[in-house]
C-alpha cells in the first residue's frame, strides 16, 4: 500500500514521510511523490498529480503547501477542491505557516541527536510564529554545532528523530493525526482481510 | 560590497552597466550574450587590486578598457573610475598591465574626497604601518600622488580587501578529471614550514587548496567542508585524506673556478585519497560531476573572501544535489556577495525574481544587463508575481518565454 505526497520540495517530502512512518510505528508502506519546486506549480498541478498518484496505486494522498500570508480557510478550501474528485481512501491538506522546518523546531533533542551532541539547542516556544524557520534552524545548527545545515539531508535525519507527540502543539500539523489514524485503520483492515483470506484458503 | 559596475570596451561589454544585488545576483541570457564577460569584467577589479607595480602608474599607457564602480564601505560610498590596459594571454587569463585609478569617497556627513592612486597603495601603507602623519610624504615619494585624507583610509582599505578577496569559479576548469595528476609536490622550508607551490592550475590547484586547508583547518573550515560532502551531509564521498611522502632532490650549480655547489631540496609528495564506500580513489578516478561538485562546494564553504563569482554552477550536477548547493549558495551569499551565471531553469526555480538579471547583446549596444524587475512594467511584474503564487515557477516562466521581450 502506498501514500502519495505532493509538496513544494523534496526536503518537505522526506519530513512528512518520516513523521508518517513514525506515527505508523514504522509499518512498511510505500511512498510516491510529486514536487513543484515552488508553491505556484503545486497549486496548478495538484489535481492532476493527485489523480496520477492514485493511478499509480496510492491509497492516501497528502498535499503540503506553505501558507505564508494567505487566508487559511480559503486556501485550504482551494486545495481540498483541487483533490476533491480524487478517489483516494484518505486525503489531507497540510499548510505549514511559513516552512515545514518549523515542525522540526519542536524537538531540540532530535536536532542534537542528528549532530551527535548532548547539548540541546534552545528553541522558540512557538516555532510556527517564526518568519523564516529554515533560516532559524540553519542558525541554530551553526551556533550550537558549527555545522552547515543542508535541508535536503538534515531534514530527514531530524524528522526521523522527532518525538511526534511534541507535534501535537502544532496547529498546522494537527490534521495529520486523524489522517494517519485513517491510514492505520486501513492497514489494520487490510491485514485482517489478508489474514481471513489466508485462513479461508487453509480450510 | 559592490553596488554597481559600468564596463566599457571590454570584450562584448561596450558600455555595460550592472547594478548588482547586495547578496546574490543571477545572470541569465542566451549563449554569447556576455554573461561570462560580465563576470570576467567584475574580476578585473580583483586584478586591479593585485596589479602591484613598482612606483607610480605610467600615464602614457594606452588605455583600452574602462571601469566605473560603486562600492559601499563603512557607510561611505566609494566610486572608482579606472582606465585599464588589459592583456589577455593564450590561456584566456586577463592581466591588467597598467591602470589609472581615481577613487572618490563620499562620507556619511556629506564629506567627499578624491584619491588618484592605485588602491593597493592603501594595503602597502597598512602593511608597513606607516603613521598617518607620514602619509603625504609616503604617497608622494612612492606613488607620486596626493595622500587620501585620513577619514577615507579605512573605507578605501576595506574596498581594497573586497577587490582582493574576489574569487572566480568556472566549471570548465575542472573538465576531465582524468587529466588530474594523482599526486602533486610541494617544497618545504628549512624550518619545516610548508612553502607555497607555484603555478598550479585547474585540478591541482583545488587539490592543493584542499590540502592547505586540511593542514591548517583554520576555524574548522575543513571539517565543515567534510561534514557537508560526507556521509552525514550530501553523501558525495565518505572521506578525503592526504598522504604525505617525504622526498628530496638535489640541484647543482657550477661556480666560477669550476667549483660545484649542491642544493638539497626537501619536498613532500602529496597524494590525495578520496574514499567512497570501500574504494579509495585518486582524484583522476573521480567522475567529472563529483570532482566539479567537490570543487564548487569547497569554494562556497571554505572561501573566506568577499565575493564569489560562479559560472554555471549547474554543470554536471544532479538536480537533487543542485537544490542543496543552491541552498548553500543562498545562505553563503549573506556572508560574501555572489554573482552566478546560469542556463538552468532549475536554478531559477530556487531564487527570487529580485535576484535575477537578464543579459542580452545587440550589435550597437553590446552586452546589456537589467534586473528582470526593470525589464517589466508594473502590470507585467504583477502578472509574474501572480503566476509564481498560483501557477508555477520562475524557471518555468523563463523557459516558456515569460521573461523575454521578443521571440
Amino acid at each position: 500500500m502506498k501514500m502519495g505526497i505532493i509538496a513544494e520540495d523534496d526536503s518537505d517530502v522526506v519530513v512528512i514521510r518520516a513523521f508518517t512512518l513514525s506515527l505508523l510505528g514504522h509499518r512498511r508502506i510505500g511512498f510516491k511523490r510529486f514536487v513543484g519546486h515552488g508553491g505556484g506549480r503545486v497549486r496548478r498541478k495538484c489535481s492532476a498529480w493527485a489523480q496520477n498518484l492514485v493511478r499509480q496505486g496510492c491509497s492516501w494522498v497528502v498535499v503540503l503547501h506553505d501558507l505564508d500570508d494567505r487566508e487559511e480557510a480559503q486556501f485550504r478550501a482551494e486545495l481540498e477542491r483541487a483533490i476533491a474528485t480524487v478517489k483516494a481512501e484518505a486525503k489531507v491538506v497540510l499548510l505549514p505557516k511559513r516552512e515545514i522546518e518549523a515542525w522540526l523546531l519542536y524537538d531540540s533533542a532530535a536536532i542534537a541527536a542528528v549532530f551527535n551532541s548532548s547539548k540541546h539547542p534552545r528553541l522558540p516556544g512557538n516555532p510556527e510564529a517564526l518568519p523564516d524557520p529554515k533560516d532559524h534552524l540553519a542558525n541554530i545548527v551553526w551556533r550550537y554545532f558549527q555545522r552547515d545545515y543542508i535541508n535536503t539531508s538534515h531534514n530527514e535525519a531530524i524528522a526521523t528523530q522527532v518525538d511526534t507527540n511534541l507535534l501535537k502543539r502544532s496547529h498546522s500539523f494537527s490534521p495529520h493525526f486523524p489522517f494517519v489514524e485513517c491510514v492505520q485503520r486501513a492497514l489494520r483492515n487490510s491485514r485482517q482481510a489478508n489474514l481471513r483470506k489466508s485462513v479461508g484458503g487453509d480450510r | 560590497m559592490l553596488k554597481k559596475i559600468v564596463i566599457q570596451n571590454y570584450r562584448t561589454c561596450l558600455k555595460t552597466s550592472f547594478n548588482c544585488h547586495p547578496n546574490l545576483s543571477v545572470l541569465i541570457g542566451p549563449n554569447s550574450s556576455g554573461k561570462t564577460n560580465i563576470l570576467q569584467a567584475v574580476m578585473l577589479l580583483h586584478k586591479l587590486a593585485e596589479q602591484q607595480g613598482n612606483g607610480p602608474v605610467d600615464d602614457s599607457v594606452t588605455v583600452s578598457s574602462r571601469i566605473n564602480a560603486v562600492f559601499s564601505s563603512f557607510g561611505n560610498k566609494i566610486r572608482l573610475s579606472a582606465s585599464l590596459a588589459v592583456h589577455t594571454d593564450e590561456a584566456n587569463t586577463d592581466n591588467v598591465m597598467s591602470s589609472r585609478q581615481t577613487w572618490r569617497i563620499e562620507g556619511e556627513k556629506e564629506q567627499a574626497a578624491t584619491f588618484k592612486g592605485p588602491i593597493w597603495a592603501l594595503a602597502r601603507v597598512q602593511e608597513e604601518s606607516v603613521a598617518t602623519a607620514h602619509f603625504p610624504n609616503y604617497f608622494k615619494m612612492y606613488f607620486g600622488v596626493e595622500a587620501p585624507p585620513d577619514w577615507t583610509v579605512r573605507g578605501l582599505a576595506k574596498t581594497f580587501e573586497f577587490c582582493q578577496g574576489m574569487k572566480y569559479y568556472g566549471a570548465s576548469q575542472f573538465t576531465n578529471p582524468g587529466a588530474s595528476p594523482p599526486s602533486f609536490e610541494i617544497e618545504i622550508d628549512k624550518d619545516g614550514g610548508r612553502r607555497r607551490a607555484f603555478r598550479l592550475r585547474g585540478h591541482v590547484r583545488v587539490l592543493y587548496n584542499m590540502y592547505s586547508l586540511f593542514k591548517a583547518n583554520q576555524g574548522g573550515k575543513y571539517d565543515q567542508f567534510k561534514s557537508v560532502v560526507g556521509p552525514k551531509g550530501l553523501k558525495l564521498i565518505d572521506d578525503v585524506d592526504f598522504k604525505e611522502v617525504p622526498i628530496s632532490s638535489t640541484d647543482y650549480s657550477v661556480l666560477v673556478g669550476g667549483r660545484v655547489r649542491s642544493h638539497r631540496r626537501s619536498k613532500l609528495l602529496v597524494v590525495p585519497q578520496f574514499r567512497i564506500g570501500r574504494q579509495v580513489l585518486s582524484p583522476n578516478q573521480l567522475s567529472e560531476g563529483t570532482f566539479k561538485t567537490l570543487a564548487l562546494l569547497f569554494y562556497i564553504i571554505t572561501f573566506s573572501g568577499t565575493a564569489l563569482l560562479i559560472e554555471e554552477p549547474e554543470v554536471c550536477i544532479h538536480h537533487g544535489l543542485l537544490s542543496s548547493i543552491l541552498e548553500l549558495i543562498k545562505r553563503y551569499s549573506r556572508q560574501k556577495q555572489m554573482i552566478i551565471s546560469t542556463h538552468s531553469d532549475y536554478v531559477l526555480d530556487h531564487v527570487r525574481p529580485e535576484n535575477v538579471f537578464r543579459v542580452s547583446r545587440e550589435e550597437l549596444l553590446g552586452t546589456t544587463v537589467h534586473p528582470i524587475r526593470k525589464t517589466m512594467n508594473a502590470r507585467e511584474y504583477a502578472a509574474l508575481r501572480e503566476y509564481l503564487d498560483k501557477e508555477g515557477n520562475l524557471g518555468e516562466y523563463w523557459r516558456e518565454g515569460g521573461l523575454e521581450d521578443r521571440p
Side-chain angles (χ1 to χ4, degrees):
Chain A
M1 297 183 91
K2 283 182 285 195
M3 181 179 289
I5 301 172
I6 296 170
E8 294 186 39
D9 275 303
D10 278 326
S11 57
D12 298 346
V13 173
V14 293
V15 169
I16 201 66
R17 189 175 62 189
F19 286 161
T20 306
L21 285 172
S22 172
L23 287 166
L24 288 173
H26 298 279
R27 288 231 185 90
R28 290 183 65 174
I29 63 165
F31 290 90
K32 290 276 171 188
R33 78 188 193 325
F34 277 111
V35 289
H37 302 295
R41 202 143 178 259
V42 171
R43 282 174 84 172
R44 174 164 56 106
K45 303 206 75 170
C46 183
S47 178
W49 282 345
Q51 300 275 13
N52 186 283
L53 288 168
V54 171
R55 275 200 288 274
Q56 288 188 60
C58 294
S59 309
W60 313 286
V61 174
V62 183
V63 179
L64 266 167
H65 195 302
D66 297 343
L67 181 62
D68 293 323
D69 297 320
R70 300 176 187 91
E71 206 279 303
E72 187 181 341
Q74 204 182 332
F75 191 47
R76 182 179 297 282
E78 180 193 323
L79 292 175
E80 282 175 351
R81 257 197 318 276
I83 55 170
T85 55
V86 174
K87 292 191 175 82
E89 283 180 32
K91 298 168 269 188
V92 68
V93 172
L94 298 175
L95 304 173
K97 180 88 185 75
R98 289 283 167 199
E99 286 159 334
I100 206 168
E101 281 76 7
W103 295 344
L104 307 177
L105 288 167
Y106 277 96
D107 191 348
S108 65
I111 300 171
V114 167
F115 293 96
N116 296 330
S117 173
S118 55
K119 197 162 62 177
H120 289 198
R122 218 176 131 192
L123 299 179
N126 180 10
E128 298 204 65
L130 293 168
D132 192 341
K134 192 188 284 173
D135 201 36
H136 192 88
L137 182 55
N139 289 340
I140 280 177
V141 170
W142 180 250
R143 203 166 62 236
Y144 283 85
F145 314 112
Q146 290 76 52
R147 287 285 178 267
D148 275 305
Y149 156 74
I150 307 160
N151 59 348
T152 44
S153 309
H154 294 140
N155 277 11
E156 184 173 19
I158 298 171
T160 310
Q161 301 278 344
V162 165
D163 174 359
T164 42
N165 282 317
L166 295 171
L167 290 168
K168 287 179 179 157
R169 282 165 50 210
S170 163
H171 165 73
S172 62
F173 191 76
S174 58
H176 201 55
F177 289 108
F179 170 78
V180 173
E181 277 168 23
C182 274
V183 176
Q184 255 164 341
R185 260 198 310 277
L187 286 171
R188 220 172 14 241
N189 291 343
S190 142
R191 206 173 51 237
Q192 281 169 354
N194 284 342
L195 207 64
R196 271 199 298 273
K197 215 189 283 177
S198 68
V199 171
D202 287 348
R203 279 178 192 164
Chain B
M1 185 225 304
L2 179 65
K3 294 180 80 173
K4 181 180 179 179
I5 183 164
V6 182
I7 312 130
Q8 278 176 264
N9 201 30
Y10 174 77
R11 301 190 185 181
T12 58
C13 301
L14 301 183
K15 189 173 183 182
T16 306
S17 176
F18 173 32
N19 287 285
C20 14
H21 190 278
N23 303 122
L24 174 65
S25 306
V26 180
L27 306 178
I28 58 165
N31 290 100
S32 80
S33 56
K35 299 183 296 298
T36 304
N37 293 345
I38 293 169
L39 296 180
Q40 300 275 14
V42 174
M43 277 307 282
L44 286 177
L45 295 169
H46 173 76
K47 304 276 165 74
L48 210 59
E50 297 264 288
Q51 180 240 337
Q52 297 203 6
N54 292 319
V57 171
D58 183 355
D59 281 354
S60 64
V61 162
T62 310
V63 173
S64 58
S65 297
R66 189 167 184 87
I67 283 186
N68 292 305
V70 182
F71 303 86
S72 69
S73 174
F74 294 115
N76 298 326
K77 188 184 261 188
I78 297 179
R79 295 175 188 277
L80 162 70
S81 176
S83 306
L84 326 166
V86 182
H87 173 253
T88 307
D89 67 16
E90 60 279 5
N92 198 26
T93 306
D94 288 328
N95 297 296
V96 175
M97 306 308 286
S98 70
S99 68
R100 260 190 315 183
Q101 306 171 29
T102 303
W103 297 85
R104 182 167 171 79
I105 308 97
E106 294 163 10
E108 281 173 323
K109 299 170 193 165
E110 295 186 5
Q111 305 150 286
T114 302
F115 169 59
K116 291 186 176 184
I119 186 75
W120 51 265
L122 275 300
R124 181 79 66 83
V125 164
Q126 289 193 329
E127 265 167 34
E128 295 181 9
S129 308
V130 179
T132 321
H134 297 142
F135 273 14
N137 286 341
Y138 187 88
F139 276 89
K140 202 85 186 157
M141 191 184 299
Y142 288 102
F143 309 112
V145 295
E146 296 291 326
D150 297 352
W151 66 271
T152 65
V153 171
R154 199 164 70 124
L156 281 171
K158 198 75 189 165
T159 306
F160 168 75
E161 279 174 35
F162 178 88
C163 295
Q164 203 186 31
M166 289 175 160
K167 190 158 190 73
Y168 186 90
Y169 169 89
S172 57
Q173 299 168 67
F174 307 115
T175 305
N176 185 19
S180 164
S183 63
F184 56 90
E185 285 179 17
I186 56 165
E187 289 191 5
I188 309 176
D189 285 341
K190 280 179 190 161
D191 59 7
R194 270 161 194 83
R195 196 183 294 173
R196 196 181 157 85
F198 294 101
R199 288 186 202 161
L200 300 176
R201 279 193 173 197
H203 305 89
V204 185
R205 182 163 194 89
V206 71
L207 293 170
Y208 172 74
N209 288 343
M210 278 184 202
Y211 167 74
S212 303
L213 199 69
F214 164 75
K215 295 306 284 182
N217 199 17
Q218 280 170 336
K221 287 237 175 229
Y222 185 76
D223 291 338
Q224 206 180 322
F225 165 66
K226 274 215 312 190
S227 82
V228 170
V229 299
K232 288 194 171 174
L234 298 173
K235 302 179 180 73
L236 265 177
I237 53 171
D238 289 303
D239 200 6
V240 52
D241 201 5
F242 294 90
K243 199 160 85 181
E244 296 174 326
V245 183
I247 52 174
S248 62
S249 65
T250 309
D251 293 341
Y252 297 94
S253 53
V254 181
L255 306 176
V256 276
R259 282 188 300 126
V260 177
R261 183 188 285 169
S262 65
H263 307 270
R264 195 174 168 80
R265 289 169 195 264
S266 295
K267 290 183 180 180
L268 271 184
L269 185 70
V270 180
V271 187
Q273 295 175 314
F274 295 87
R275 194 165 61 76
I276 301 177
R278 288 181 183 175
Q279 286 187 304
V280 176
L281 303 176
S282 292
N284 54 1
Q285 290 178 290
L286 295 176
S287 71
E288 193 165 320
T290 305
F291 198 105
K292 282 180 174 172
T293 312
L294 284 172
L296 176 59
L297 285 167
F298 180 76
Y299 288 125
I300 292 172
I301 295 162
T302 67
F303 168 60
S304 53
T306 51
L308 186 57
L309 280 52
I310 305 173
E311 189 184 349
E312 297 179 23
E314 69 271 15
V315 176
C316 290
I317 297 179
H318 177 265
H319 58 81
L321 188 56
L322 185 57
S323 67
S324 307
I325 292 172
L326 292 167
E327 281 300 322
L328 286 168
I329 287 178
K330 282 193 279 182
R331 189 150 347 116
Y332 277 92
S333 72
R334 290 177 214 158
Q335 293 170 24
K336 47 200 168 209
Q337 203 169 2
M338 294 217 195
I339 306 174
I340 67 177
S341 68
T342 185
H343 284 295
S344 164
D345 48 356
Y346 190 83
V347 170
L348 240 60
D349 283 347
H350 288 78
V351 296
R352 293 171 183 276
E354 54 267 31
N355 295 103
V356 181
F357 295 76
R358 201 176 75 191
V359 180
S360 51
R361 185 166 65 88
E362 286 173 40
E363 204 172 326
L364 290 176
L365 294 173
T367 293
T368 56
V369 48
H370 300 287
I372 58 165
R373 172 71 188 88
K374 292 270 170 71
T375 63
M376 297 175 170
N377 61 33
R379 198 172 162 177
E380 288 168 340
Y381 195 63
L384 168 63
R385 283 280 177 199
E386 192 168 340
Y387 181 87
L388 296 181
D389 186 38
K390 292 183 181 163
E391 300 287 332
N393 309 333
L394 190 57
E396 201 179 37
Y397 201 75
W398 176 38
R399 193 176 62 236
E400 290 166 358
L403 299 182
E404 311 293 331
D405 55 4
R406 69 174 70 94

